[in-house]
Amino acid sequence: MYKGSWKSRRRCGRRSHQQIPWFRQHDSNESDNTGTLQSPQDSGPGDDESPSTSSSTAGSSSVPDLPGYYFDPEKKRYFRLLPGHNNCNPLTKESIQQKEMEKKRLQLVEEEKQKKANTNRDQIFTVIDIKAGGSKYSIINLSSLRIPSLTVRMHENLYFTNRKVNCVCWASLNHLDSHILLCRRGIAKTPGCATLLPAATLLPASLFAHSHPAVDQPDMLCSFRTPSAWSCAWSLNVQANNCFSTGLSQQVLLTNVVTGHRQSFRTNSDVLAQQFAVLAPLLFNGCRSGEIFAIDLRSQSRGKGWKTLSLSHDSAVTSLQILREEQCLIASDMAGKIKLWDLRTMKCLRQFDGHVNEYAYLPLHVHEEEGFVMAVGQDCYTRIWSLRDAHLLRTIPSPYPASREDIPSVAFSSRLGGVLGGPGLLMAVRQDLYCFSYN
């Protein structure tokens, strides 16, 4: 593992916790495999274990568990547990559990230090919250990544107002990844400032300085007034050419950016996740109610036959991914469940255990070329499962102590260093960027 720093071409305010990188996705005809992110300690049994360890199991299993007491395996004696509501008490059950978790995290961090970094010629679009308010948009060109010292230069947009962003995705209007689709928040009217309504904006990637040096003139910038969106998706389906979708409160809004035509589909719940199918004329949606349903893009929004299928989770669906053959779908929810669904039989094929989520809006990453499923939990651990058998392959700790403000953002590339490069994982925490190679 190697650590890098963010260096921008302009001075900006202090960055807070939310750093969201998105890799461009590439098609591949390579066969799946179930390799893992390697380090010299990969064969150890701790890789498949959960980082959460209770205090009662910290010592030897032969030591009896006495109610109200804690056995310290290092000092080999019992200590009395005091009520946790008094901040002056030095030893409580909560403090012991926190100490155990931090100790486990530090052990895993030491293991990850043996990782090596690769060069990457891909691009990541990032949204970084800044202390002064608003957000900072950048495209990071990782072709300058070198070891052992990683320096990342962020190519910033110099012409666009940086407002808070609810959701974002790559859009292919003129060519592959020609634009970034941003769903921005509204800003209430303040003295001296006009009210800015929520909007969905197609921001040309060529507007970012030096990110596209071969382009003389930037592509078209488009903005569409829309209610505050929970999710968005760009269509590569011929049935919805030049269209994007926004998931709203109890509504799905489909917009054609060329004609301006819109279709609205009423739902029973907020739409938190979306993805277009490519082979079939379908738009898949995940809702706060736990329902996953598909919209037939050939139907009219006012008709009754636009909903073609329905699956159900027990909690709000925060992310979903359609697999390449479009016969299966994988989804995660706010109960920490990750499930692989067969869209033909409407049954759950397997479940990926170990993910930690209680209420957060967390993404899910699926990479069929490498046979990986990745997710970052509320406990700040990045977990990697085998797509083939749902086996937990690796648990990567955050470089910082776990907190709600410092949940890492991760991105995976199948070809770090271009066409001939190997796969690797990037992790962003606070102002730091960490690189994990794949062997």
Side-chain angles (χ1 to χ4, degrees), residues 31-271:
S31 60
D32 295 349
N33 63 73
T34 55
T36 60
L37 291 167
Q38 298 284 337
S39 75
Q41 290 83 5
D42 274 355
S43 59
D47 290 348
D48 296 341
E49 296 177 355
S50 171
S52 301
T53 307
S54 64
S55 60
S56 62
T57 61
S60 172
S61 59
S62 61
V63 177
D65 187 9
L66 301 181
Y69 288 86
Y70 162 73
F71 181 79
D72 191 322
E74 295 180 357
K75 297 183 179 180
K76 300 185 183 302
R77 57 172 295 188
Y78 287 95
F79 292 90
R80 182 182 178 185
L81 288 174
L82 301 177
H85 64 273
N86 187 348
N87 292 332
C88 298
N89 289 333
L91 190 63
T92 64
K93 182 179 295 185
E94 291 78 10
S95 65
I96 293 171
Q97 291 176 345
Q98 185 176 3
K99 181 180 178 181
E100 292 287 342
M101 292 179 65
E102 180 64 10
K103 181 179 178 181
K104 177 68 174 179
R105 185 191 71 84
L106 292 175
Q107 290 175 348
L108 291 176
V109 167
E110 287 299 318
E111 295 178 5
E112 299 297 337
K113 286 184 179 180
Q114 301 298 323
K115 292 186 177 291
K116 298 181 179 180
N118 287 326
T119 308
N120 180 16
R121 295 191 181 93
D122 244 331
Q123 293 186 115
I124 305 176
F125 178 77
T126 64
V127 179
I128 305 174
D129 288 351
I130 56 178
K131 188 176 181 180
S135 299
K136 185 175 183 178
Y137 311 153
S138 298
I139 286 182
I140 299 178
N141 190 333
L142 300 175
S143 60
S144 59
L145 277 183
R146 294 292 185 272
I147 57 176
S149 177
L150 300 184
T151 300
V152 180
R153 297 198 177 274
M154 303 172 66
H155 304 296
E156 300 174 25
N157 162 41
L158 305 177
Y159 314 99
F160 199 70
T161 302
N162 295 343
R163 287 156 56 184
K164 292 279 188 178
V165 174
N166 283 345
C167 52
V168 61
C169 68
W170 287 97
S172 300
L173 182 58
N174 299 336
H175 51 81
L176 182 64
D177 299 340
S178 63
H179 290 69
I180 301 102
L181 176 61
L182 297 167
C183 292
R184 300 178 296 146
R185 301 180 189 178
I187 300 178
K189 184 176 182 180
T190 58
C193 297
T195 301
L196 295 177
L197 298 176
T201 301
L202 280 171
L203 182 62
S206 55
L207 279 181
F208 292 82
H210 305 294
S211 63
H212 289 72
V215 179
D216 295 329
Q217 294 182 350
D219 294 315
M220 176 178 61
L221 185 149
C222 310
S223 189
F224 302 86
R225 183 175 297 178
T226 182
S228 184
W230 292 103
S231 58
C232 64
W234 179 263
S235 172
L236 295 176
N237 193 297
V238 294
Q239 296 287 342
N241 194 30
N242 296 324
C243 291
F244 70 89
S245 176
T246 45
L248 312 175
S249 295
Q250 300 185 349
Q251 183 183 5
V252 173
L253 187 60
L254 188 65
T255 304
N256 188 306
V257 301
V258 176
T259 65
H261 179 259
R262 288 186 162 184
Q263 283 183 277
S264 177
F265 300 87
R266 302 298 302 180
T267 65
N268 297 323
S269 182
D270 301 339
V271 180

Side-chain angles (χ1 to χ4, degrees), residues 5 41 116 167 191 199 243 278 325 329 348 356 371 409 413-414 435:
S5 60
Q41 290 83 5
K116 298 181 179 180
C167 52
C243 291
V278 177
E325 299 297 328
L329 175 147
C348 179
V356 178
S409 295
S413 174
S414 298
C435 185

